[in-house]
Amino acid sequence: MRIFVDAMGGDFAPQAPVAGAIEALRRFPQIDITLAGDLSQVEPLLVDCDDVRSRITLVDAPEVITNEESPVMGVRRKTRSATVIGMLMLRNKEVDGFVSAGSTGAVMAGGMFRLGRIPGIERPALAPLMPNGKGHFLLIDCGANVDCQPHFLQQFGLLGDAYMKGVMGMEKPRVGLINIGAEAEKGNALVKATYPLMEQAPYHFVGNVEARDITGDVADVLVADGFCGNLVLKFMEGVAGTLMGIIKKEMMADLRGKIAGLIGKPAFRRVKKLMDYTEVGGAPLLGVQGAVVKAHGSSNGHALSCAIAQVIKMIEGDVVGIIEKGVAEMLPADQQA
């Protein structure tokens, strides 16, 4: 199994992607990695990895698509960027999966225009795993599609259902629609029109889910347009950071707190690990014709390693194949091309 890693993507590139690739190679003996970036910067970082160096293939990709430029224009013009090279290699079956912590827009555009969508899927979507106290739920979409139509959301449910089956091993994931009320007639025009479409879809739809129930383990996949989904994602990240800060502050406020903190330290570490995005790795880009994971821009080496682990699970779980099968069940044959 060969995984393509964008060495120039993210706030800490190329150090973090290279470190993540090396860590992943040591964790997963079944993989090889194609590492693409500015070789003058990447090669000096490989001096201490003799044990896995033979499993790394370097590709020169000196161009970088930044967050400050148009993703579509970047993908069109910067053909020597890791994003474009990687998507084309994935399309041509030269690699089995793609990982990048670079521009989200560029990964989305590259996935749509260089790799290609799964026939029948109109909009690929980003879908991070989020903690809910008992494990994780999948939030889809988290920002790739700000303006949506009802059938987009219906398809997002299909994408999330396939991921939870293929990667998380769930036999019958519960799919919910984020809304301001549980009743079918609640919400804006978009979600009211989406509800009956999701009822007809070939997955286990459990209805509307209010914001207060998002972390209550009532659904395994939560569907939203990219605008609402991104608000949920960023709000949960902020709340998690605030709560951990408050707990730490109160534990250090007096002697009793310090003693309690010392006793409860193992438990707090487990909670922190559960809430830590670096342990998940990133958000899969679902709906394109290949296994693609977009890692957080601030990912460190360990986070990139976890993103690689996630794309390995997508490949082994045949997520793309499950989505293709679901599309065949949901759409008439003349609409699948």
Side-chain angles (χ1 to χ4, degrees), residues 162-174:
Y163 184 87
M164 297 306 276
K165 286 177 178 176
V167 174
M168 304 303 288
M170 292 185 177
E171 183 177 347
K172 192 176 182 180
R174 300 162 296 170

Side-chain angles (χ1 to χ4, degrees), residues 139 141-144 224-236:
L139 175 64
D141 178 39
C142 73
D225 63 88
F227 185 87
C228 292
N230 193 262
L231 288 175
V232 171
L233 173 67
K234 298 294 176 59
F235 181 75
M236 286 188 65

Side-chain angles (χ1 to χ4, degrees), residues 71-141:
V72 174
M73 294 307 296
V75 167
R76 287 179 179 174
R77 293 174 177 173
K78 294 186 174 179
T79 57
R80 298 183 67 200
S81 66
T83 301
V84 174
I85 292 172
M87 292 296 181
L88 291 176
M89 290 184 70
L90 186 55
R91 187 185 72 184
N92 296 332
K93 310 299 183 185
E94 297 173 64
V95 295
D96 303 297
F98 173 99
V99 174
S100 175
S103 164
T104 300
V107 172
M108 179 74 175
M112 289 187 67
F113 303 122
R114 297 300 185 187
L115 177 57
R117 293 169 291 163
I118 292 172
I121 294 296
E122 293 199 42
R123 292 290 188 277
L126 286 168
L129 286 168
M130 307 292 292
N132 63 6
K134 293 186 178 180
H136 292 87
F137 69 89
L138 194 77
L139 175 64
I140 182 168
D141 178 39

Side-chain angles (χ1 to χ4, degrees), residues 32 197 333:
D32 294 316
L197 295 181

